[in-house]
């Protein structure tokens, strides 16, 4: 069987598979992990209560803090003898999070990474230059195992030493690049500084980029700088690492839903939202043994689409991650994310100027303003150009946010001067509430 | 002709904010830069101050360090008699050559001659200077602004 055969199951086949795996997972965590038993008991649900996929909404969520609270191995569902790999995130806020894999989990991870890289038809003859970090971070080893299993030659270059990386990419004839999108752009820039033409002097044909949010402008810049096809790899280490979802040749992100069951919820109320609506992405692992997670809140804002894709795959699709639920602003009842504003700025100007989003209240109405710094990259010395820019931005923002936003062009450093530090969002409504009290 | 007659004009982006113009002129004053001609273009929320100074490099550097956004552009200046029709003559020649005037402003020097500064699209600058010169209009050399 081809490793990506599951990308093409019928809806009924997916649902039957998911229901069977979900019941099995719920039963396992309830009996093996005290944390889940307590939570299920508190919520008054038992694994047997799940008779259809919709019933999952009755089960409690898991959040990142739960992983921290049970550092290091409190959420494991297998004895330590079965664990063959441990990864960990750097703990910038508090304790790190730890994820563990059994031999079976490693096979699942390798499979989804193969399916990711099959989006570009990676196989024998390909030279995969893997510049994701090797080590505790899941990126490097995730791609490594997937590429190797497909019979490609892997160059485990990891991060850093950019000039040496370029030399190896050139000398070894790399055809596939794996790294963060910003590093891919940096590599291209350094290549140019070295007098090389990234489009002509290299053999790259595609790349798998992820591990950080990337605006439309950045994606385009990477694809154009190298003259390659851009594939997105979406994942998070808590769920498995890279390999949770991958984009196909049409740029549509497919979630490997036979292993990771997705839901979209309202981040405020926790309610499951209908298909196509925007909300927070939640995953339940269906096959993981060492660290199964039930309704894990990713904080990523996206949408789900079940109708088959142009590429022929029937496996569910998710929209681009438009923001993090932690950053979400509600303006006049409309959800607004700083990343949407950034997307528009990048699209209109071809660059990302400094900006700040200011939300205020005029009477009972919310007012949204976007302050954009006029720096030397934007300023042509011409008044009309600036006025056009302002109007164009306002028009595009209205199209993207479904909300009127006023654009204010400001002098550089104004933002820092009036806000004290680099901050993307100023919500003056909160301030007024506090002062009013 | 560009190398001989082009004058460096500085455009500075300004928010319509109280005291900002004062800060700008103060910055130049403290650096010992003399403003020879200026014009302000405004919209409701922001403006652009255009300056011809005696030392453009220095002005640009002190303004940039003071946090202003500055753009340098080439303009040219002509000298006409300070009487009716002096300005018209110049504009007529440009218009007949199908050259658009972005904007123009005056250097206030006194005497019976007036000096006018013209900004045209950069691709037309060379041609504008040539036809004006051929039309008997006197172009003013940069030294007039920088040297004084
Ligand atoms: Zn597809």
């Amino acid at each position: 069987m081809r490793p990506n055969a599951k990308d093409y199951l019928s809806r009924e086949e997916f649902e039957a598979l998911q229901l069977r795996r979900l019941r099995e997972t719920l039963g396992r965590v309830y009996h093996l992990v005290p944390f889940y038993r307590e939570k299920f008991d508190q919520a008054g649900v038992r694994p047997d209560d799940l008779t259809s996929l919709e019933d999952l909404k009755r089960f409690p969520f898991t959040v990142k803090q739960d992983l921290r609270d049970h550092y290091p191995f409190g959420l494991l569902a297998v004895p330590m003898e079965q664990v063959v790999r441990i990864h960990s995130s750097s703990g910038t806020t508090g304790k790190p999070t730890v994820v563990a894999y059994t031999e079976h989990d490693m096979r699942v991870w390798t499979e989804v990474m193969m399916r990711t890289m099959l989006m570009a038809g990676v196989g024998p003859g390909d030279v995969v230059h893997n510049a994701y970090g090797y080590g505790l971070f899941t990126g490097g080893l995730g791609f490594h195992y997937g590429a190797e299993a497909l019979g490609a030659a892997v160059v485990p270059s990891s991060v850093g030493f950019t000039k040496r990386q370029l030399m190896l990419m050139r000398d070894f004839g790399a055809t596939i690049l794996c790294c963060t999108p910003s590093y891919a752009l940096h590599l291209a820039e350094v290549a140019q500084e070295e007098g090389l033409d990234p489009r002509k002097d290299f053999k790259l044909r595609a790349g798998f980029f992820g591990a950080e949010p990337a605006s439309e402008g950045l994606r385009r810049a990477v694809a154009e700088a190298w003259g390659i096809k851009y594939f997105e790899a979406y994942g998070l280490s808590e769920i498995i690492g890279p390999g949770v979802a991958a984009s196909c040749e049409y740029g549509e992100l497919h979630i490997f839903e036979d292993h990771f069951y997705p839901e979209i919820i309202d981040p405020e109320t926790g309610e499951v939202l209908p298909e196509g609506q925007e909300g927070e992405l939640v995953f339940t692992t269906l096959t993981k043994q060492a660290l199964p997670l039930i309704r894990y809140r990713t904080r990523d804002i996206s949408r789900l689409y079940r109708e088959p894709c142009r590429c022929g795959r029937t496996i569910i699709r998710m929209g681009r991650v438009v923001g993090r639920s932690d950053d979400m602003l509600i303006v006049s009842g409309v959800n607004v994310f700083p990343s949407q504003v950034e997307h528009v700025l990048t699209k209109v100007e071809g660059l990302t100027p400094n900006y700040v989003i200011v939300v205020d209240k005029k009477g009972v109405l919310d007012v949204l303003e976007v302050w954009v710094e006029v720096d030397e990259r934007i300023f042509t010395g011409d008044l009309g150009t600036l006025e056009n820019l302002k109007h164009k931005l306002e028009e595009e923002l209205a199209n993207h946010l479904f909300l009127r936003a006023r654009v204010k062009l400001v002098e550089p450093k104004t933002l820092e001067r009036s806000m004290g530090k680099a901050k993307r969002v100023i919500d003056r409504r909160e301030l007024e509430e506090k002062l009013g009290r | 002709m560009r190398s001989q007659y082009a004058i460096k004009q500085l455009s500075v982006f300004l928010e319509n904010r109280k005291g900002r113009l004062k800060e700008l002129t103060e910055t130049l004053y403290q650096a010992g830069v003399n403003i020879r001609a200026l014009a302000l273009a405004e919209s409701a929320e922001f403006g652009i101050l255009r300056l011809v100074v005696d030392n453009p490099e220095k002005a640009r550097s002190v303004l940039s360090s003071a946090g202003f956004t500055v753009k340098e552009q080439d303009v040219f200046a002509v000298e006409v008699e300070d009487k009716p029709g002096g300005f018209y003559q110049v504009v007529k020649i440009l218009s007949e050559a199908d050259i658009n005037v972005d904007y123009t402003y005056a250097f206030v020097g006194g005497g019976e001659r007036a000096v006018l500064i013209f900004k045209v699209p950069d691709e037309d600058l060379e041609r504008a200077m040539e036809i004006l010169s051929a039309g008997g209009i006197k172009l003013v050399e940069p030294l007039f602004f920088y040297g004084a």
Side-chain angles (χ1 to χ4, degrees):
Chain A
M1 191 171 84
R2 286 174 304 133
N4 62 354
K6 289 255 168 46
D7 294 1
Y8 301 89
L9 294 184
S10 71
R11 228 355 73 212
E12 294 70 36
E13 286 171 311
F14 273 127
E15 282 170 12
L17 185 65
Q18 287 166 337
L19 185 60
R20 182 158 55 77
R21 289 180 169 177
L22 200 49
R23 287 174 62 93
E24 194 270 327
T25 300
L26 290 173
R28 202 150 36 81
V29 298
Y30 186 76
H31 291 105
L32 297 172
V33 187
F35 164 79
Y36 283 113
R37 178 186 288 265
E38 273 168 41
K39 279 186 83 163
F40 288 11
D41 286 346
Q42 268 170 26
V45 283
R46 295 183 58 89
D48 294 343
D49 292 340
L50 187 104
T51 54
S52 73
L53 290 171
E54 285 75 59
D55 291 333
L56 185 60
K57 64 170 184 269
R58 299 169 54 192
F59 287 78
F61 295 113
T62 311
V63 295
K64 199 176 186 102
Q65 191 57 42
D66 294 327
L67 288 169
R68 294 205 184 102
D69 291 346
H70 295 82
Y71 175 87
F73 302 130
L75 293 186
L76 292 201
V78 296
M80 220 34 210
E81 301 85 81
Q82 290 182 31
V83 171
V84 299
R85 175 80 68 79
I86 299 167
H87 280 278
S88 171
S89 75
S90 54
T92 42
T93 50
K95 288 232 175 87
T97 50
V98 175
V99 292
Y101 305 73
T102 64
E103 209 184 327
H104 169 268
D105 295 335
M106 289 305 300
R107 276 200 300 275
V108 169
W109 194 14
T110 301
E111 179 205 305
V112 289
M113 287 316 298
M114 289 167 82
R115 288 161 74 178
T116 295
M117 300 186 82
L118 279 172
M119 296 288 186
V122 172
D126 273 314
V127 176
V128 176
H129 187 89
N130 187 8
Y132 281 109
Y134 278 68
L136 284 174
F137 171 60
T138 49
L141 286 166
F143 276 94
H144 184 104
Y145 276 60
E148 214 168 65
L150 287 171
V154 189
V155 183
S157 68
S158 198
V159 289
F161 303 103
T162 303
K163 284 179 191 171
R164 193 186 63 189
Q165 299 232 11
L166 287 164
M167 186 187 82
L168 298 182
M169 283 169 71
R170 208 162 164 233
D171 294 350
F172 297 172
T175 55
I176 304 289
L177 175 62
C178 303
C179 62
T180 61
S182 54
Y183 192 62
L185 197 58
H186 178 67
L187 276 167
E189 283 164 0
V190 174
Q192 275 161 344
E193 282 164 23
E194 299 285 290
L196 296 169
D197 181 348
R199 301 174 69 104
K200 292 210 181 87
D201 297 329
F202 294 83
K203 290 195 182 134
L204 282 189
R205 64 179 179 85
F208 293 90
F209 306 105
E212 67 182 13
S215 66
E216 193 54 48
L218 178 58
R219 290 164 203 259
R220 216 181 314 127
V222 168
E224 275 167 19
W226 286 103
I228 59 174
K229 199 137 173 70
Y230 186 111
F231 290 88
E232 180 177 354
Y234 172 85
L236 52 169
S237 63
E238 299 92 311
I239 299 303
I240 200 145
V244 175
S247 67
C248 65
E249 65 266 38
Y250 292 100
E252 297 282 338
L253 260 178
H254 292 273
I255 298 171
F256 300 117
E257 61 173 315
D258 45 325
H259 294 293
F260 318 110
Y261 184 76
E263 296 169 281
I264 290 285
I265 62 158
D266 180 330
E268 302 280 305
T269 64
E271 249 171 80
V272 176
L273 296 174
E275 184 173 337
Q277 274 202 32
E278 193 171 274
E280 183 178 334
L281 193 53
V282 169
F283 284 110
T284 300
T285 64
L286 297 177
T287 50
K288 260 174 80 190
Q289 304 293 309
L291 184 69
L293 287 178
I294 308 302
R295 305 195 81 199
Y296 184 73
R297 294 186 60 160
T298 64
R299 302 285 165 194
D300 285 335
I301 303 292
S302 185
R303 300 163 197 257
L304 294 175
Y305 306 97
R306 285 194 171 78
E307 76 266 33
C309 179
R310 279 183 289 168
C311 70
R313 287 178 184 80
T314 48
I315 203 156
I316 195 166
R317 284 173 292 143
M318 61 183 267
R320 289 271 154 79
V321 172
V322 297
R324 304 271 302 159
S325 60
D326 331 26
D327 305 334
M328 189 177 78
L329 280 165
I330 302 176
V331 183
S332 307
V334 178
N335 296 349
V336 175
F337 298 97
S339 55
Q340 290 174 298
V341 172
E342 191 161 327
H343 172 78
V344 169
L345 294 180
T346 309
K347 196 177 138 195
V348 171
E349 254 316 290
L351 49 90
T352 312
N354 268 332
Y355 69 93
V356 73
I357 297 165
V358 181
V359 195
D360 209 339
K361 235 178 172 57
K362 291 251 160 74
V364 291
L365 294 174
D366 289 341
V367 181
L368 181 68
E369 288 188 353
V370 179
W371 295 8
V372 180
E373 270 190 12
V374 175
D375 60 21
E376 269 152 42
R377 296 173 302 169
I378 297 178
F379 187 47
T380 59
D382 182 38
L383 198 67
T385 314
L386 286 180
E387 279 174 335
N388 286 344
L389 173 67
K390 176 183 149 80
H391 292 135
K392 179 95 192 150
L393 285 174
E394 285 179 341
E395 198 182 298
E396 286 292 320
L397 283 169
N399 287 341
H400 278 77
L401 305 178
F402 305 104
L403 186 75
R404 249 190 198 291
R406 205 175 77 92
V407 170
K408 199 172 150 192
L409 299 180
V410 298
E411 287 174 30
K413 317 257 164 47
T414 306
L415 308 180
E416 278 168 52
R417 271 202 301 269
S418 51
M419 317 309 170
K421 57 176 178 172
K423 222 176 151 187
R424 282 286 180 232
V425 178
I426 310 292
D427 199 336
R428 288 183 171 156
R429 297 172 301 183
E430 295 165 8
L431 202 68
E432 274 156 33
E433 257 170 49
K434 274 179 208 149
L435 293 173
R437 233 172 263 159
Chain B
M1 291 194 91
R2 185 189 276 258
S3 57
Q4 197 186 345
Y5 290 109
I7 291 156
K8 301 258 172 262
Q9 168 196 262
L10 301 179
S11 292
V12 187
F13 176 75
L14 284 178
E15 280 172 53
N16 291 354
R17 198 148 48 80
K18 222 172 150 186
R20 209 49 192 145
L21 198 56
K22 182 187 144 274
E23 283 165 36
L24 183 144
T25 45
E26 194 177 351
T27 303
L28 292 177
Y29 164 64
Q30 279 170 357
V33 173
N34 187 19
I35 300 172
R36 306 281 286 152
L38 93 173
L40 185 63
E42 276 183 295
S43 79
E45 290 167 4
F46 51 85
I48 297 175
L49 185 69
R50 321 214 185 263
L51 297 164
V52 175
V53 298
D54 62 348
N55 188 343
E57 280 74 38
K58 189 170 190 185
R60 182 178 187 157
S61 119
V62 294
L63 288 173
S64 290
S65 346
F68 290 98
T69 303
V70 186
K71 181 87 183 177
E72 196 178 279
Q73 286 161 307
D74 282 348
V75 293
F76 65 87
V78 297
E79 190 182 304
V80 294
E81 275 184 70
D82 196 5
K83 63 171 197 195
F87 181 71
Y88 168 68
Q89 239 191 322
V90 180
V91 177
K92 185 169 166 262
I93 293 176
L94 290 173
S95 147
E96 278 166 7
D98 213 17
I99 292 173
N100 201 37
V101 176
D102 289 338
Y103 49 84
T104 172
Y105 52 102
F107 165 77
V108 190
E112 70 267 27
R113 314 290 283 179
V115 171
L116 301 169
I117 294 160
F118 281 85
K119 168 75 174 65
V120 298
D122 206 54
E123 63 272 20
D124 292 333
L125 182 72
E126 183 72 29
R127 198 159 61 88
M129 290 176 176
E130 275 164 16
I131 56 151
L132 286 173
S133 183
I137 304 284
K138 185 172 184 280
L139 291 165
V140 179
E141 291 197 32
L143 198 65
F144 172 80
F145 296 99
Y146 303 164

